[in-house]
Amino acid sequence: AVPTNVVISDTTAANYLAQYGYLPPINPENGAFLSEEKLTAAIEEFQAFAGLNITGELNDETAKLMATPRCGVKDKVGPAADGRSKR
Amino acid sequence: YALQGSRWRTKNLTYKISKYPTGLNKQEVDKEIANAFNVWSGETDLTFTRKKGHENVHIEIRFEVGEHGDGDPFDGPGGTLAHAYFPVYGGDAHFDDAERWTIRSYRGTNLFQVAAHEFGHSLGLSHSDVKSALMAPFYRGYDPHFTLDQDDISAIQALYGTKTNSRRSQPLPPAEEDPELCKDPKVDTMFDTKDGEIIVFKGKYYWKLTDNGVASGYPRRISSTWKELPANIDAAFTYRNGKTYFFKGTQYWRYINTTMDGDYPKEISDGFTGIPDNIDAATVWTGNGKIYFYKGTKFWRFDPASKPPVRSNYPKLIQNWEGIPNPINAAVTYKGYTYFFQDNAYYRFNDRQFKVDDANPAFPRSTAYWWFGCKSASRGTLGNDH
């Protein structure tokens, strides 16, 4: 069941967006230097892909969707973010 | 849809399940995994052969917990359910065994649906932004009537072509019974396409009928075939102009086959002046080729060639159609007759005598038995014991 009121921090959101290809992989050392603009743009891209209102904010419906069970494969897959490489 | 960029060179692929989920019967898992592959082989010439033991295969399937050797650890119940490799990276599929995998259940996480999605990746499909597509990234819960969205079909056929080794070259599988229609044969509407096929609408699904029952591969979602057409349609008919009209509430839509024919929906009061909203059924009567609308105890005749299309002496009472009950749920023309449906029964109309046809067994008859091929339903006249 889709979780109800979900609170999600910017860091958690940034990790989620990185995991699914909306942000470059976050390096633990420099993760803190993610700019506000980059995070907003990534949220907008996620909202666009998921068919949500594109606000760039981590609003309730966006947080709820981020908490929804899903496939682990990235949404943004291309030459740059090449999905998954078998190690 | 989105393609990752790689695909298999061969269409005959092999797979094996190297590690099973802890909470399910192995044979059941084998069946569900095979069904999940069938989703894709049903639309292409792809074939999937299961191997066992240490044989080399294209797609290896494993149920794992946490870190499992590929640097992408699973995260426990919820969150990430599974992931898979695109063909260029090996094609394997991994499932988080911390999930509660279930089969044909509203509880837990449906193994078949998630597996079919992951195998889409194993074949080269990326995530789709069409919410109703199987390849959308978010799990949508168990769907007993799962069907591929047109988006998914277009995606897989872009990689592997359409199905040519189709059933057409072999005898069609026998018409099938559909549990839902056999259990409750009351439908929203039925109509005949310009090719003479009979389509049944019920809720958000539709079935194509054969002469003996329900065609295999159904139900499918109405929205996956008639884009933008809502569920729970009131009535539909195909006119001799080859266009199919759908009615719901105050609105109607016009399609040529499955393509919307203009800017719809429009108001019934605009396009069918004189016809009320929220109708029960509509059909082109085989007796005179005019369009008849039915609602409650009344009916209207609509003749596009007349001015006005509905004469002032309408509506009239359905009881004029001797033997036809009211209200009716659906009406359809089939092989030169007009049929009326109410709840689980139907009636064939004799146009010359203008009354329900004499037949053996007499009408009303069981819709389930005679239209949906439900052998468990009564063959005889409904409403009495012989």
Side-chain angles (χ1 to χ4, degrees):
Chain A
V2 176
T4 52
N5 59 332
V6 176
V7 178
I8 194 167
S9 70
D10 282 2
T11 308
T12 308
N15 287 330
Y16 180 99
L17 294 164
Q19 179 174 359
Y20 296 113
Y22 296 92
L23 285 171
I26 290 183
N27 179 326
E29 280 74 51
N30 69 20
F33 301 122
L34 177 68
S35 71
E36 187 67 27
E37 292 73 22
K38 276 224 176 82
L39 180 58
T40 302
I43 292 172
E44 285 171 348
E45 212 176 351
F46 172 70
Q47 289 170 331
F49 183 81
L52 302 177
N53 289 329
I54 301 173
T55 64
E57 282 146 31
L58 212 43
N59 54 24
D60 192 39
E61 64 171 358
T62 304
K64 205 180 287 185
L65 196 58
M66 286 182 171
T68 300
R70 57 161 291 160
C71 169
V73 174
K74 293 179 190 303
D75 296 336
K76 312 299 291 178
V77 176
D82 64 359
R84 175 179 319 292
S85 57
K86 190 168 190 170
R87 291 175 175 80
Chain B
Y1 62 82
L3 305 179
Q4 177 265 338
S6 65
R7 67 176 173 83
W8 298 97
R9 291 274 159 261
T10 172
K11 291 181 182 174
N12 303 309
L13 300 170
T14 57
Y15 71 92
K16 70 180 174 185
I17 305 169
S18 307
K19 198 171 176 188
Y20 281 80
T22 46
L24 285 175
N25 169 291
K26 279 195 175 182
Q27 284 71 32
E28 286 280 291
V29 172
D30 291 342
K31 219 185 316 176
E32 290 304 289
I33 293 293
N35 289 340
F37 278 117
N38 286 345
V39 162
W40 301 112
S41 53
E43 304 299 340
T44 62
D45 287 344
L46 287 165
T47 68
F48 300 98
T49 306
R50 185 171 147 240
K51 299 289 186 184
K52 296 184 181 178
H54 298 289
E55 290 190 73
N56 239 351
V57 293
H58 296 99
I59 298 171
E60 183 184 6
I61 297 155
R62 303 174 64 84
F63 287 76
E64 299 282 8
V65 173
E67 176 51 62
H68 50 279
D70 63 10
D72 252 337
F74 283 129
D75 52 3
T80 299
L81 301 173
H83 54 227
Y85 296 86
F86 296 114
V88 68
Y89 300 119
D92 295 352
H94 297 165
F95 298 79
D96 186 351
D97 200 25
E99 307 301 333
R100 182 186 171 196
W101 295 105
T102 54
I103 295 171
R104 284 187 301 280
S105 164
Y106 286 96
R107 273 186 258 276
T109 304
N110 184 261
L111 171 61
F112 161 75
Q113 288 169 212
V114 174
H117 173 101
E118 295 308 326
F119 299 154
H121 291 314
S122 302
L123 295 168
L125 304 188
S126 253
H127 283 149
S128 168
D129 61 4
V130 171
K131 277 188 182 170
S132 55
L134 171 66
M135 293 313 291
F138 305 103
Y139 178 66
R140 290 197 309 270
Y142 171 54
D143 176 352
H145 293 304
F146 165 83
T147 57
L148 276 185
D149 189 280
Q150 186 56 50
D151 183 71
D152 302 304
I153 295 168
S154 306
I156 199 69
Q157 291 182 347
L159 285 179
Y160 299 98
T162 58
K163 190 171 191 52
T164 58
N165 65 0
S166 80
R167 295 178 287 273
R168 299 274 174 260
S169 54
Q170 300 127 20
L172 267 177
E176 297 184 352
E177 295 191 16
D178 178 277
E180 163 115 22
L181 291 180
C182 292
K183 191 174 67 187
D184 175 8
K186 179 177 179 182
V187 297
D188 292 344
T189 192
M190 290 168 75
F191 64 97
D192 56 319
T193 67
K194 76 180 170 64
D195 306 324
E197 293 173 325
I198 300 292
I199 303 290
V200 177
F201 273 20
K202 180 170 184 160
K204 57 184 175 183
Y205 297 102
Y206 78 95
W207 293 257
K208 184 166 78 177
L209 301 188
T210 65
D211 283 342
N212 310 307
V214 176
S216 55
Y218 291 84
R220 296 182 184 172
R221 283 171 193 273
I222 291 171
S223 58
S224 69
T225 301
W226 290 272
K227 296 288 181 215
E228 297 176 55
L229 194 63
N232 305 310
I233 290 292
D234 292 338
F237 65 84
T238 297
Y239 196 49
R240 54 173 171 268
N241 61 4
K243 301 187 178 186
T244 304
Y245 298 78
F246 299 97
F247 299 80
K248 179 176 181 178
T250 67
Q251 299 178 312
Y252 77 98
W253 292 254
R254 190 175 75 194
Y255 281 75
I256 296 177
N257 286 324
T258 58
T259 305
M260 191 182 283
D261 178 39
D263 179 21
Y264 290 88
K266 298 181 191 304
E267 291 299 303
I268 292 173
S269 53
D270 291 342
F272 291 85
T273 307
I275 299 302
D277 296 335
N278 302 303
I279 55 173
D280 293 336
T283 189
V284 178
W285 180 40
T286 41
N288 62 12
K290 309 293 184 197
I291 304 165
Y292 286 78
F293 292 89
Y294 305 85
K295 178 179 179 180
T297 61
K298 302 188 180 88
F299 76 94
W300 291 253
R301 189 185 86 167
F302 185 91
D303 179 0
S306 297
K307 290 270 182 290
V310 177
R311 293 232 186 93
S312 58
N313 59 343
Y314 285 93
K316 296 180 181 178
L317 293 178
I318 289 177
Q319 66 191 42
N320 292 3
W321 299 64
E322 193 180 327
I324 300 295
N326 66 70
I328 59 168
N329 307 131
V332 71
T333 57
Y334 174 66
K335 295 197 175 175
Y337 282 99
T338 300
Y339 292 85
F340 295 91
F341 298 79
Q342 182 192 58
D343 299 335
N344 63 347
Y346 80 97
Y347 304 73
R348 187 174 70 214
F349 199 70
N350 183 315
D351 297 343
R352 265 172 305 291
Q353 297 171 4
F354 206 72
K355 70 181 188 57
V356 167
D357 211 4
D358 293 324
N360 182 19
F363 293 98
R365 289 185 190 174
S366 156
T367 302
Y369 182 90
W370 292 92
W371 287 82
F372 303 149
C374 306
K375 293 296 170 274
S376 54
S378 152
R379 183 183 181 284
T381 304
L382 287 189
N384 56 32
D385 53 6
H386 49 278

PDB file of all heavy atoms in Angstrom, chain A residues 17-30:
ATOM      1  N   LEU A  17      17.168  10.303  -5.710  1.00  0.00           N
ATOM      2  CA  LEU A  17      17.291  10.824  -7.083  1.00  0.00           C
ATOM      3  C   LEU A  17      18.594  10.371  -7.725  1.00  0.00           C
ATOM      4  O   LEU A  17      18.662  10.114  -8.923  1.00  0.00           O
ATOM      5  CB  LEU A  17      17.185  12.352  -7.061  1.00  0.00           C
ATOM      6  CG  LEU A  17      15.803  12.880  -6.639  1.00  0.00           C
ATOM      7  CD1 LEU A  17      15.868  14.356  -6.266  1.00  0.00           C
ATOM      8  CD2 LEU A  17      14.775  12.629  -7.748  1.00  0.00           C
ATOM      9  N   ALA A  18      19.617  10.226  -6.914  1.00  0.00           N
ATOM     10  CA  ALA A  18      20.891   9.715  -7.462  1.00  0.00           C
ATOM     11  C   ALA A  18      20.758   8.236  -7.803  1.00  0.00           C
ATOM     12  O   ALA A  18      21.213   7.776  -8.846  1.00  0.00           O
ATOM     13  CB  ALA A  18      22.012   9.925  -6.444  1.00  0.00           C
ATOM     14  N   GLN A  19      20.062   7.512  -6.904  1.00  0.00           N
ATOM     15  CA  GLN A  19      19.933   6.059  -7.138  1.00  0.00           C
ATOM     16  C   GLN A  19      19.210   5.772  -8.447  1.00  0.00           C
ATOM     17  O   GLN A  19      19.514   4.810  -9.142  1.00  0.00           O
ATOM     18  CB  GLN A  19      19.163   5.407  -5.972  1.00  0.00           C
ATOM     19  CG  GLN A  19      18.966   3.893  -6.152  1.00  0.00           C
ATOM     20  CD  GLN A  19      18.340   3.229  -4.931  1.00  0.00           C
ATOM     21  OE1 GLN A  19      18.071   3.889  -3.927  1.00  0.00           O
ATOM     22  NE2 GLN A  19      18.117   1.932  -5.021  1.00  0.00           N
ATOM     23  N   TYR A  20      18.258   6.652  -8.783  1.00  0.00           N
ATOM     24  CA  TYR A  20      17.445   6.350  -9.977  1.00  0.00           C
ATOM     25  C   TYR A  20      17.811   7.230 -11.162  1.00  0.00           C
ATOM     26  O   TYR A  20      17.035   7.378 -12.097  1.00  0.00           O
ATOM     27  CB  TYR A  20      15.960   6.428  -9.610  1.00  0.00           C
ATOM     28  CG  TYR A  20      15.610   5.363  -8.608  1.00  0.00           C
ATOM     29  CD1 TYR A  20      15.242   5.676  -7.310  1.00  0.00           C
ATOM     30  CD2 TYR A  20      15.749   4.007  -8.937  1.00  0.00           C
ATOM     31  CE1 TYR A  20      14.974   4.681  -6.378  1.00  0.00           C
ATOM     32  CE2 TYR A  20      15.484   3.007  -8.010  1.00  0.00           C
ATOM     33  CZ  TYR A  20      15.104   3.353  -6.737  1.00  0.00           C
ATOM     34  OH  TYR A  20      14.855   2.365  -5.806  1.00  0.00           O
ATOM     35  N   GLY A  21      19.009   7.836 -11.108  1.00  0.00           N
ATOM     36  CA  GLY A  21      19.566   8.440 -12.314  1.00  0.00           C
ATOM     37  C   GLY A  21      19.247   9.896 -12.538  1.00  0.00           C
ATOM     38  O   GLY A  21      19.557  10.435 -13.596  1.00  0.00           O
ATOM     39  N   TYR A  22      18.636  10.570 -11.545  1.00  0.00           N
ATOM     40  CA  TYR A  22      18.292  11.988 -11.750  1.00  0.00           C
ATOM     41  C   TYR A  22      19.430  12.905 -11.314  1.00  0.00           C
ATOM     42  O   TYR A  22      19.444  14.086 -11.638  1.00  0.00           O
ATOM     43  CB  TYR A  22      17.024  12.342 -10.969  1.00  0.00           C
ATOM     44  CG  TYR A  22      15.814  11.577 -11.456  1.00  0.00           C
ATOM     45  CD1 TYR A  22      15.451  10.355 -10.875  1.00  0.00           C
ATOM     46  CD2 TYR A  22      15.071  12.031 -12.533  1.00  0.00           C
ATOM     47  CE1 TYR A  22      14.373   9.628 -11.340  1.00  0.00           C
ATOM     48  CE2 TYR A  22      13.981  11.318 -13.006  1.00  0.00           C
ATOM     49  CZ  TYR A  22      13.635  10.112 -12.405  1.00  0.00           C
ATOM     50  OH  TYR A  22      12.571   9.386 -12.877  1.00  0.00           O
ATOM     51  N   LEU A  23      20.338  12.341 -10.509  1.00  0.00           N
ATOM     52  CA  LEU A  23      21.518  13.098 -10.060  1.00  0.00           C
ATOM     53  C   LEU A  23      22.720  12.200 -10.272  1.00  0.00           C
ATOM     54  O   LEU A  23      22.581  10.963 -10.225  1.00  0.00           O
ATOM     55  CB  LEU A  23      21.399  13.456  -8.568  1.00  0.00           C
ATOM     56  CG  LEU A  23      20.444  14.585  -8.189  1.00  0.00           C
ATOM     57  CD1 LEU A  23      20.299  14.642  -6.663  1.00  0.00           C
ATOM     58  CD2 LEU A  23      20.966  15.920  -8.725  1.00  0.00           C
ATOM     59  N   PRO A  24      23.898  12.771 -10.473  1.00  0.00           N
ATOM     60  CA  PRO A  24      25.094  11.933 -10.564  1.00  0.00           C
ATOM     61  C   PRO A  24      25.282  11.217  -9.228  1.00  0.00           C
ATOM     62  O   PRO A  24      24.827  11.718  -8.188  1.00  0.00           O
ATOM     63  CB  PRO A  24      26.215  12.929 -10.841  1.00  0.00           C
ATOM     64  CG  PRO A  24      25.690  14.261 -10.470  1.00  0.00           C
ATOM     65  CD  PRO A  24      24.203  14.210 -10.615  1.00  0.00           C
ATOM     66  N   PRO A  25      25.895  10.029  -9.255  1.00  0.00           N
ATOM     67  CA  PRO A  25      26.109   9.314  -7.989  1.00  0.00           C
ATOM     68  C   PRO A  25      26.725  10.240  -6.949  1.00  0.00           C
ATOM     69  O   PRO A  25      27.620  11.026  -7.265  1.00  0.00           O
ATOM     70  CB  PRO A  25      27.081   8.195  -8.377  1.00  0.00           C
ATOM     71  CG  PRO A  25      26.881   8.004  -9.839  1.00  0.00           C
ATOM     72  CD  PRO A  25      26.511   9.349 -10.396  1.00  0.00           C
ATOM     73  N   ILE A  26      26.156  10.170  -5.729  1.00  0.00           N
ATOM     74  CA  ILE A  26      26.634  11.108  -4.704  1.00  0.00           C
ATOM     75  C   ILE A  26      27.836  10.477  -3.991  1.00  0.00           C
ATOM     76  O   ILE A  26      27.767   9.387  -3.446  1.00  0.00           O
ATOM     77  CB  ILE A  26      25.519  11.400  -3.682  1.00  0.00           C
ATOM     78  CG1 ILE A  26      24.445  12.241  -4.402  1.00  0.00           C
ATOM     79  CG2 ILE A  26      26.072  12.119  -2.457  1.00  0.00           C
ATOM     80  CD1 ILE A  26      23.319  12.668  -3.490  1.00  0.00           C
ATOM     81  N   ASN A  27      28.945  11.218  -4.023  1.00  0.00           N
ATOM     82  CA  ASN A  27      30.143  10.737  -3.344  1.00  0.00           C
ATOM     83  C   ASN A  27      30.028  11.167  -1.877  1.00  0.00           C
ATOM     84  O   ASN A  27      29.808  12.348  -1.602  1.00  0.00           O
ATOM     85  CB  ASN A  27      31.362  11.417  -4.019  1.00  0.00           C
ATOM     86  CG  ASN A  27      32.649  10.976  -3.328  1.00  0.00           C
ATOM     87  OD1 ASN A  27      32.630  10.747  -2.111  1.00  0.00           O
ATOM     88  ND2 ASN A  27      33.696  10.838  -4.105  1.00  0.00           N
ATOM     89  N   PRO A  28      30.104  10.207  -0.919  1.00  0.00           N
ATOM     90  CA  PRO A  28      29.866  10.565   0.487  1.00  0.00           C
ATOM     91  C   PRO A  28      30.669  11.815   0.918  1.00  0.00           C
ATOM     92  O   PRO A  28      30.149  12.663   1.621  1.00  0.00           O
ATOM     93  CB  PRO A  28      30.356   9.328   1.255  1.00  0.00           C
ATOM     94  CG  PRO A  28      30.298   8.207   0.274  1.00  0.00           C
ATOM     95  CD  PRO A  28      30.524   8.813  -1.083  1.00  0.00           C
ATOM     96  N   GLU A  29      31.873  11.935   0.408  1.00  0.00           N
ATOM     97  CA  GLU A  29      32.671  13.102   0.855  1.00  0.00           C
ATOM     98  C   GLU A  29      32.000  14.392   0.395  1.00  0.00           C
ATOM     99  O   GLU A  29      31.775  15.315   1.157  1.00  0.00           O
ATOM    100  CB  GLU A  29      34.107  13.036   0.272  1.00  0.00           C
ATOM    101  CG  GLU A  29      35.019  12.081   1.052  1.00  0.00           C
ATOM    102  CD  GLU A  29      34.676  10.632   0.752  1.00  0.00           C
ATOM    103  OE1 GLU A  29      34.602  10.303  -0.451  1.00  0.00           O
ATOM    104  OE2 GLU A  29      34.398   9.872   1.710  1.00  0.00           O
ATOM    105  N   ASN A  30      31.698  14.453  -0.893  1.00  0.00           N
ATOM    106  CA  ASN A  30      31.257  15.800  -1.351  1.00  0.00           C
ATOM    107  C   ASN A  30      29.732  15.869  -1.478  1.00  0.00           C
ATOM    108  O   ASN A  30      29.176  16.807  -2.024  1.00  0.00           O
ATOM    109  CB  ASN A  30      31.896  16.130  -2.717  1.00  0.00           C
ATOM    110  CG  ASN A  30      31.290  15.218  -3.790  1.00  0.00           C
ATOM    111  OD1 ASN A  30      30.222  14.664  -3.580  1.00  0.00           O
ATOM    112  ND2 ASN A  30      31.993  15.098  -4.902  1.00  0.00           N
TER     113      ASN A  30
END
